[in-house]
Amino acid sequence: MSSTLPTLTTTSYAILGMVGLRSCTTYELGKAMQRSFDYFWPRARSLVYAEVKRLATLGLLTAHKDFVGRRARTTYTITVEGRAALAAWLNRPPQGFALEMEGLLRIYLANFGTRDDLLQALETMRQEAITMLAIAADFKQGYLTGTAPFMDQVHLRALLNDFLSNFAAFTYEWAVRSLATVSSWSDLDPTGKQAAALETFTHIPPLPDSPLDKPAEK
Amino acid sequence: MSSTLPTLTTTSYAILGMVGLRSCTTYELGKAMQRSFDYFWPRARSLVYAEVKRLATLGLLTAHKDFVGRRARTTYTITVEGRAALAAWLNRPPQGFALEMEGLLRIYLANFGTRDDLLQALETMRQEAITMLAIAADFKQGYLTGTAPFMDQVHLRALLNDFLSNFAAFTYEWAVRSLATVSSWSDLDPTGKQAAALETFTHIPPLPDSPLDKPAEK
DNA sequence: GATTACATGTAACATGTTACATGATTAC
DNA sequence: GTAATCATGTAACATGTTACATGTAATC
């Protein structure tokens, strides 16, 4: 025991953890992944197949094969070693986040295109925020009516939903006010737009003035 | 002219656009990329070298070689075709966004670890938000004092900074309130925590009730 | 003149995605 | 019984990262 594992990726732990919550087939896993992780750890369904096999090889999952007609399928269950690996991972500090937003890149480079291009990009982002809000509302519904899976995890899921729904709401509001600003322009020429823009910089939220427990410098 | 280009990636356009803003060497490009794109299109510096060559081969950039001592270096400049390619790209709707946040995954799987693990993860996220706020504050400073590069783009950069600084502020506040919640627990056991959690679901922001201009369905 | 930091790149590798293939089940 | 959709997977490919290698300038 306690041999050092070949380094697993975050995705490995994500999958290991999902199986830990409930034994399931690879297919269910792929589905659940999309339902649950899409907004904070998005991965293609096809990844699951390879990863789950690797985890089984490492002894972190056990595979149970059965048949539907003549077609095989595999159900995976977490092992004691799997739980230990998860616990060890959770004890290490998390990686930083990454945000990829082509829409923002388009703002950065907007002056190579037109005002209408920019409006279009902003509108697309607004639509996405709406989609995300709708999904968050669904989750809310599920938990409030008690029909959501893993009701015993509400206290944790609530933290997540707080983040995700407010992220969506914030994005929505930003898109709306940006659309208003750009709509008020007749083109993307800087002339006459600087003063108002500089003014908005004064509204950006200040640094928190009393860090709760900033770790001591060494 | 107008031959269809072999499909360029978003990263290609990001690089093409940076060169468009100002001709520069590959090294400067790598630096600038990190300074500018890190929070909405993060990529490793080493990518630039390969990509810039490809763009030159396609005729979207021109390369100018000169020497520092006996060592060659290359300065790139955008071509007319490069500008056209950028404009065409800006006219297409942007890809959706992707958020990758290991910290949120750890919340999802928190019950495989301890309360302290979770507090640690939240604290790491709070620190990251602080870092991001500090960077946003620097940009603000640069623009307000007029020392920032590309001052003529303030009207666009202001939209970006609005997003990024508010995203950071939002994340900071979420981390603080989540830390408070988890601190009030003695462990991660669900017992006695559900009611309060369900209550928070009632606070999630509602869907906007009058979409501005939801595109007509077909 | 040795050490360190800046500048310029390459190669090997890791990770992830798209497109396809094909069996089983359901709806008509 | 045939079309559509669900379930299960594989292989080829695209993209991106880490680690290294090495020249040049700055500093002391």
Side-chain angles (χ1 to χ4, degrees):
Chain A
M1 62 186 84
S2 93
S3 62
T4 35
L5 291 167
T7 42
L8 301 177
T9 64
T10 299
T11 304
S12 313
Y13 290 107
I15 292 171
L16 182 56
M18 286 229 61
V19 178
L21 290 171
R22 190 160 70 80
S23 300
C24 51
T25 67
T26 324
Y27 185 79
E28 290 170 322
L29 211 47
K31 283 285 199 177
M33 195 144 135
Q34 213 157 344
R35 236 188 55 259
S36 302
F37 294 175
D38 227 25
Y39 283 119
F40 57 90
W41 202 257
R43 288 297 179 272
R45 195 183 47 82
S46 67
L47 240 190
V48 174
Y49 291 90
E51 195 57 43
V52 108
K53 278 181 191 163
R54 196 159 78 99
L55 292 170
T57 305
L58 295 171
L60 306 179
L61 296 179
T62 54
H64 171 77
K65 222 164 197 158
D66 71 303
F67 287 85
V68 179
R70 267 188 324 169
R71 182 180 198 164
R73 76 172 172 185
T74 316
T75 304
Y76 290 91
T77 304
I78 196 167
T79 64
V80 177
E81 291 81 7
R83 281 175 196 282
L86 264 179
W89 174 67
L90 285 166
N91 188 46
R92 304 201 305 261
Q95 274 177 212
F97 69 93
L99 178 64
E100 240 172 58
M101 215 154 172
E102 205 188 273
L104 295 180
L105 183 58
R106 278 153 186 264
I107 293 174
Y108 193 91
L109 302 176
N111 69 316
F112 292 101
T114 69
R115 186 195 85 129
D116 286 350
D117 293 340
L118 181 52
L119 285 172
Q120 241 261 290
L122 289 169
E123 174 57 18
T124 302
M125 289 194 266
R126 193 179 71 86
Q127 293 295 337
E128 280 185 320
I130 291 176
T131 302
M132 201 171 164
L133 281 166
I135 290 174
D138 270 4
F139 272 92
K140 169 183 174 173
Q141 194 57 21
Y143 280 104
L144 289 183
T145 61
T147 59
F150 306 115
M151 279 300 292
D152 57 326
Q153 309 262 332
V154 207
H155 59 305
L156 295 170
R157 301 295 162 87
L159 301 178
L160 252 169
N161 206 260
D162 180 16
F163 185 96
L164 263 14
S165 58
N166 281 291
F167 173 69
F170 146 70
T171 304
Y172 177 82
E173 278 155 29
W174 168 83
V176 168
R177 67 177 176 267
S178 299
L179 280 164
T181 301
V182 177
S183 295
S184 77
W185 299 342
S186 56
D187 55 38
L188 296 181
D189 193 274
T191 312
K193 304 192 177 78
Q194 310 218 178
L198 284 173
E199 212 270 333
T200 71
F201 273 93
T202 64
H203 298 324
I204 79 167
L207 279 168
D209 37 27
S210 58
L212 292 185
D213 49 350
K214 185 154 193 175
E217 4 267 329
K218 43 183 164 188
Chain B
M1 64 185 84
S2 94
S3 62
T4 35
L5 291 167
T7 43
L8 300 178
T9 64
T10 299
T11 304
S12 312
Y13 291 107
I15 292 172
L16 182 56
M18 287 230 61
V19 178
L21 289 172
R22 188 161 72 80
S23 299
C24 52
T25 67
T26 325
Y27 185 78
E28 290 170 322
L29 210 48
K31 283 284 200 179
M33 194 142 136
Q34 212 156 346
R35 236 187 57 259
S36 303
F37 295 175
D38 228 24
Y39 283 118
F40 58 89
W41 202 257
R43 287 298 178 271
R45 196 183 47 82
S46 67
L47 240 189
V48 175
Y49 292 90
E51 195 56 45
V52 108
K53 278 182 191 162
R54 195 159 79 99
L55 293 170
T57 305
L58 295 172
L60 306 180
L61 297 179
T62 55
H64 171 77
K65 222 162 196 159
D66 71 305
F67 287 85
V68 179
R70 269 189 321 171
R71 181 179 197 163
R73 75 172 173 184
T74 316
T75 303
Y76 289 91
T77 305
I78 196 167
T79 64
V80 177
E81 291 82 6
R83 282 176 195 281
L86 264 179
W89 173 67
L90 285 166
N91 188 46
R92 304 201 304 262
Q95 275 178 212
F97 70 94
L99 178 64
E100 239 172 58
M101 214 154 173
E102 203 189 273
L104 295 181
L105 182 58
R106 278 153 186 264
I107 293 174
Y108 193 91
L109 301 176
N111 68 315
F112 292 102
T114 68
R115 187 196 83 131
D116 286 350
D117 293 340
L118 180 53
L119 285 172
Q120 242 262 289
L122 288 168
E123 174 56 19
T124 302
M125 289 193 266
R126 192 178 72 87
Q127 293 296 336
E128 279 185 320
I130 291 176
T131 302
M132 200 171 165
L133 281 167
I135 291 174
D138 270 4
F139 273 92
K140 168 184 174 173
Q141 193 58 20
Y143 280 105
L144 289 183
T145 61
T147 59
F150 306 114
M151 278 301 291
D152 57 326
Q153 308 262 333
V154 208
H155 59 305
L156 294 170
R157 300 296 160 88
L159 301 178
L160 250 170
N161 206 261
D162 179 16
F163 185 96
L164 262 14
S165 58
N166 281 291
F167 173 69
F170 147 69
T171 304
Y172 178 82
E173 279 155 29
W174 168 82
V176 169
R177 67 177 177 267
S178 299
L179 280 164
T181 301
V182 177
S183 295
S184 78
W185 299 343
S186 57
D187 55 38
L188 295 181
D189 193 275
T191 312
K193 304 192 176 78
Q194 311 219 177
L198 284 173
E199 212 270 333
T200 71
F201 273 93
T202 63
H203 298 324
I204 78 167
L207 279 168
D209 36 28
S210 58
L212 292 185
D213 49 348
K214 185 153 193 175
E217 4 267 329
K218 44 181 163 188

